[in-house]
């Protein structure tokens, strides 16, 4: 168990809890295909590259720090780190909207057309990689790695909250902090709004640097995303398609509404079952660069492959059903060697995951039969 495990569990509970609450209240329909893509899009690969970010920070802090805070009280270090981190994020975010190479990474987050907590975790696989240069100021200044990680968790939690679908304006807090109402403006599909409100926690950066925008007049429910872009449910494709477009490579667009894909019940249950070994991986390996071995690499690749197969199933690709069955049947065999079967959680979840994979084969075989008729 490590400091990453509980936040992942809480994130997952809040994402699906909010979706169920929205559905129960009847405010709007829940696009489960979109929710599943969002939670699968960056989670596994994000931890890999987040590990590189942490590794780079540690190296710079050890070798290039000017020890600016030597002899100062801890409160000064924390205050500086909290404000400097948010300042770095503001420019990170703003430049990700301005520079084409960085936009190829960040655009995956903006392709989501539904504003809810799951959008807060929708990411390119490479989003942590492009964050590395923007936070090195803290390492050079002498902010300890433990403080950097704690401050990061606080800020990312605020940003996660600011994607929720249920809370409106927050009164006087709107003047100082980024709130859901501010961030909804940022996710509107009109470019003049999307290129504003870059702040993560504090809104005064936008006001100071001229990028603040107020809420526009009320619009239809379908106002988020990137105009003209049709996203697939495959995280492998979505993380790399922007780079293909940047190079001038034309990709066949996915179907805008795939009627042949797996049902929401299949996709959601598969995602929840998959997150049991995902959480097991995070609990055991954390950021995973201290004693990396073949078992860890194999499990990581299997988890990433499973995420891709869920996306292919959701898009209605027949190969996704066979691939999902294969990786879910391999998962218990590999996890047996890593985690053992000592706990009831593994004894129940892993066989259930394998059974889910075998059951998912049935619609895939049905699709094949229909195509041969």
């Amino acid at each position: 168990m490590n400091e990453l495990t509980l936040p992942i569990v809480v994130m997952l509970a809040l994402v699906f809890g909010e979706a169920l609450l929205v559905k129960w209240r009847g405010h709007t329909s829940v696009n489960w295909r979109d929710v599943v893509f969002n939670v699968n899009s960056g989670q596994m690969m994000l931890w890999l590259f987040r590990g590189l970010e942490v590794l780079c920070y540690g190296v710079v802090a050890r070798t290039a720090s000017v020890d600016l805070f030597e002899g100062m009280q801890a409160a000064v270090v924390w205050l500086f780190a909290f404000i400097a981190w948010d300042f770095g994020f503001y420019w990170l975010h703003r430049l990700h909207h301005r520079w084409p190479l960085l936009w190829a990474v960040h655009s995956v987050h903006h392709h989501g057309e539904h504003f809810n907590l799951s959008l807060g975790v929708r990411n390119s696989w490479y989003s942590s990689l492009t964050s590395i240069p923007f936070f090195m100021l803290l390492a050079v200044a002498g902010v300890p790695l433990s403080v950097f990680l704690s401050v990061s968790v606080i800020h990312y939690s605020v940003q996660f909250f600011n994607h929720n679908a249920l809370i409106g304006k927050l009164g006087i807090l709107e003047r100082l902090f980024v709130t859901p109402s501010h961030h909804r403006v940022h996710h509107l599909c009109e470019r003049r709004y999307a290129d504003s409100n870059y702040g993560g926690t504090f809104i005064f950066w936008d006001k100071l640097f001229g990028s603040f925008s107020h809420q526009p007049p009320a619009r239809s429910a379908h106002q988020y995303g990137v105009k003209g872009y049709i996203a697939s449910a495959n995280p492998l494709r979505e993380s790399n398609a922007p780079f293909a477009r940047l190079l001038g490579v034309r990709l066949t667009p996915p179907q805008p509404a795939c009627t042949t894909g797996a049902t929401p019940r299949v996709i959601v249950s598969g995602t929840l079952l998959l997150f049991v070994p995902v959480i097991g991986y995070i609990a055991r390996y954390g950021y995973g660069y201290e004693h990396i071995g073949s078992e860890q690499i194999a499990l990581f690749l299997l988890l990433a492959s499973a995420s891709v197969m869920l996306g292919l199933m959701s898009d209605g690709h027949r190969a996704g059903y066979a691939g999902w069955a294969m990786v879910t049947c391999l998962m218990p065999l590999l996890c047996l060697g890593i985690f053992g079967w000592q706990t009831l959680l593994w004894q129940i979840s892993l066989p259930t995951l394998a059974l889910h994979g075998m059951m998912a084969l049935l619609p895939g075989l049905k699709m094949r039969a229909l195509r041969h008729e």
Side-chain angles (χ1 to χ4, degrees):
M1 190 70 68
N2 56 48
E3 71 278 4
L4 297 177
T5 309
L6 183 59
I8 292 293
V9 175
V10 172
M11 177 276 295
L12 201 63
L14 289 175
V15 163
F16 284 97
E18 182 202 45
L20 290 172
L21 184 59
V22 167
K23 183 178 180 180
W24 175 66
R25 287 187 173 184
H27 288 173
T28 182
S29 61
V30 176
N31 188 317
W32 292 106
R33 177 179 181 268
D34 191 62
V35 170
V36 166
F37 172 84
N38 290 347
V39 298
N40 279 327
S41 61
Q43 288 306 308
M44 271 77 78
M45 295 298 276
L46 188 62
W47 296 120
L48 175 69
F49 290 131
R50 173 67 168 164
L52 284 174
E53 181 185 350
V54 172
L55 182 66
C56 290
Y57 189 96
V59 170
V60 173
R62 289 193 303 270
T63 60
S65 172
V66 298
D67 294 324
L68 184 65
F69 304 101
E70 188 174 1
M72 293 188 183
Q73 294 183 348
V76 176
V77 181
W78 278 87
L79 181 62
F80 171 84
F82 193 78
I83 296 176
W85 192 102
D86 201 56
F87 178 75
F89 178 84
Y90 171 84
W91 285 106
L92 175 161
H93 197 181
R94 185 165 182 166
L95 292 177
H96 273 66
H97 278 252
R98 299 295 178 88
W99 294 354
L101 186 62
L102 294 180
W103 175 247
V105 174
H106 186 58
S107 61
V108 177
H109 179 64
H110 278 267
H111 290 158
E113 297 180 352
H114 305 273
F115 195 90
N116 52 48
L117 283 177
S118 73
L119 182 61
V121 294
R122 181 188 182 111
N123 282 292
S124 165
W125 282 355
Y126 314 117
S127 58
S128 284
L129 269 183
T130 55
S131 300
I132 291 174
F134 294 92
F135 297 121
M136 289 303 108
L137 169 65
L138 281 74
V140 172
V143 175
L145 177 60
S146 59
V147 176
F148 168 74
L149 291 175
S150 298
V151 165
S152 298
V153 169
I154 295 171
H155 281 295
Y156 284 135
S157 298
V158 171
Q159 292 176 31
F160 176 66
F161 165 80
N162 282 334
H163 288 85
N164 80 79
L166 300 172
I167 295 177
K169 288 186 176 292
L170 294 176
I172 196 172
L173 295 179
E174 303 272 333
R175 299 181 182 181
L176 178 62
F177 298 104
V178 178
T179 64
S181 65
H182 291 142
H183 202 62
R184 287 187 188 99
V185 175
H186 179 72
H187 274 277
L188 293 176
C189 58
E190 288 85 354
R191 191 66 186 260
R192 67 184 184 275
Y193 294 119
D195 289 343
S196 67
N197 295 5
Y198 299 113
T201 296
F202 296 115
I203 197 62
F204 53 64
W205 303 122
D206 287 287
K207 294 179 178 180
L208 180 64
F209 296 112
S211 56
F212 177 71
S213 180
H214 290 283
Q215 178 75 39
R219 295 171 179 270
S220 67
H222 306 288
Q223 58 182 330
Y224 303 110
V226 175
K227 278 187 176 180
Y229 184 82
I230 301 173
S232 76
N234 181 356
L236 176 63
R237 174 193 169 98
E238 291 306 298
S239 290
N240 291 286
F243 295 102
R245 294 194 300 275
L246 197 61
L247 295 172
V249 178
R250 299 188 65 179
L251 300 176
T252 304
Q255 294 297 319
C258 183
T259 58
T260 59
T263 64
R265 183 177 298 177
V266 170
I267 297 298
V268 171
S269 59
T271 298
L272 293 175
L273 286 168
L274 177 62
F275 260 84
V276 176
V278 167
I279 292 167
Y281 175 95
I282 294 169
R284 186 174 184 89
Y285 300 116
Y287 291 122
Y289 283 94
E290 293 183 3
H291 306 288
I292 192 167
S294 58
E295 286 184 342
Q296 180 183 348
I297 294 172
L299 179 56
F300 176 83
L301 292 176
L302 207 58
L303 292 172
S305 299
S307 177
V308 171
M309 295 307 161
L310 277 173
L312 290 174
M313 287 169 57
S314 188
D315 275 340
H317 292 285
R318 195 175 66 216
Y321 294 89
W324 176 249
M326 182 175 68
V327 296
T328 53
C329 288
L330 288 174
M331 198 79 70
L333 299 177
L334 182 58
C335 290
L336 172 63
I338 298 176
F339 303 113
W341 292 91
Q342 292 87 355
T343 63
L344 186 63
L345 178 65
W346 296 113
Q347 294 169 7
I348 296 176
S349 64
L350 291 176
T352 305
L353 180 62
L355 179 62
H356 187 283
M358 297 304 295
M359 294 295 292
L361 268 179
L362 298 178
L365 294 173
K366 183 179 179 181
M367 287 173 58
R368 182 175 182 179
L370 289 173
R371 290 175 182 178
H372 281 77
E373 286 182 358

